[in-house]
Amino acid sequence: DAKTTQPPSMDCAEGRAANLPCNHSTISGNEYVYWYRQIHSQGPQYIIHGLKNNETNEMASLIITEDRKSSTLILPHATLRDTAVYYCIVRVAAGGSEKLVFGKGTKLTVNP
Amino acid sequence: AAGVIQSPRHLIKEKRETATLKCYPIPRHDTVYWYQQGPGQDPQFLISFYEKMQSDKGSIPDRFSAQQFSDYHSELNMSSLELGDSALYFCASSLAKNIQYFGAGTRLSVL
């Protein structure tokens, strides 16, 4: 699975958009970008995933660059409950290597 | 919606004892994964099962074994426990190896 690079920490004001970047310059054509988050010692929570098109769901939006070498997770209106470690993970959707390889992630702190 | 259920939530054992962690996947999910998260560490993949067969293996110690049963629940058996085994153990499940959904975890403390 390709490796990803994320900033170790970010801050965001409550109510503002949080934009979390991720670099995955060695991503392969059949690899998806997945985002998970972990709120203090809880189980990792799936947020969103995409291949090459931008994706949106009730939690967040995922913007993937045209060359697919980087992406940005957007939380449109961050709340205090969004404070967590956010992991960007690249993997094949099904088959191949199934495991999730967690890197260091980005510690997002949402401030009141 | 039903989620992944792990039991027990907390477990305290002595060195050299054995422990069994259980995982009940989301209904109709056929794949189960186990991850270990040490203090201050990121989750690390241990092992996975698809349709009751082992499908992938990570850095799982030989002292650990796991299986998936006919009802798709899974158990992680840990023997000769060491202090370094103290960690959070997460189980995740998926349908046909797609999106993984995690349980709340089991916190194992080895004294």
Side-chain angles (χ1 to χ4, degrees):
Chain A
D1 292 336
K3 293 184 177 179
T4 61
T5 304
Q6 300 177 251
S9 64
M10 294 183 66
D11 285 272
C12 177
E14 188 177 21
R16 305 299 292 267
N19 298 287
L20 291 87
C22 178
N23 287 319
H24 32 79
S25 58
T26 59
I27 191 170
S28 299
N30 63 343
E31 289 181 317
Y32 287 66
V33 180
Y34 284 75
W35 283 84
Y36 281 78
R37 72 180 182 185
Q38 186 175 28
I39 299 170
H40 186 61
S41 296
Q42 296 181 21
Q45 179 187 21
Y46 166 78
I47 301 173
I48 199 168
H49 76 287
L51 181 62
K52 54 183 178 181
N53 297 321
N54 297 338
E55 302 288 344
T56 296
N57 63 18
E58 65 279 3
M59 289 183 67
S61 294
L62 174 61
I63 308 298
I64 302 174
T65 58
E66 192 169 344
D67 63 8
R68 304 213 317 125
K69 293 184 177 181
S70 64
S71 60
T72 300
L73 178 74
I74 301 173
L75 307 178
H77 305 286
T79 71
L80 299 179
R81 289 179 294 180
D82 291 322
T83 292
V85 177
Y86 287 76
Y87 295 99
C88 170
I89 299 169
V90 170
R91 71 184 278 265
V92 176
S97 179
E98 314 154 26
K99 61 182 178 290
L100 294 174
V101 179
F102 289 85
K104 292 300 179 186
T106 296
K107 168 67 174 172
L108 175 68
T109 302
V110 180
N111 301 303
Chain B
V4 177
I5 305 298
Q6 291 188 244
S7 68
R9 293 295 314 279
H10 303 274
L11 191 58
I12 300 174
K13 291 286 184 178
E14 301 277 343
K15 281 172 46 179
R16 293 180 289 277
E17 285 190 321
T18 61
T20 297
L21 279 56
K22 297 184 178 182
C23 170
Y24 298 87
I26 292 171
R28 292 184 297 280
H29 279 193
D30 52 18
T31 310
V32 169
Y33 312 78
W34 286 97
Y35 293 83
Q36 177 192 57
Q37 186 173 26
Q41 303 294 313
D42 303 297
Q44 298 294 316
F45 171 74
L46 291 178
I47 195 167
S48 63
F49 294 87
Y50 170 64
E51 283 291 346
K52 293 153 278 184
M53 300 287 289
Q54 181 182 307
S55 61
D56 199 2
K57 192 172 182 180
S59 304
I60 184 170
D62 292 339
R63 300 178 289 108
F64 293 8
S65 65
Q67 58 182 324
Q68 185 179 31
F69 294 86
S70 58
D71 64 352
Y72 294 99
H73 94 272
S74 178
E75 294 183 356
L76 177 65
N77 298 293
M78 310 159 70
S79 63
S80 303
L81 287 170
E82 302 173 356
L83 297 178
D85 296 328
S86 296
L88 278 165
Y89 290 84
F90 293 107
C91 172
S93 74
S94 70
L95 178 62
K97 305 177 185 178
N98 283 303
I99 299 170
Q100 296 183 29
Y101 296 93
F102 284 76
T106 294
R107 182 177 294 278
L108 173 66
S109 298
V110 181
L111 306 179

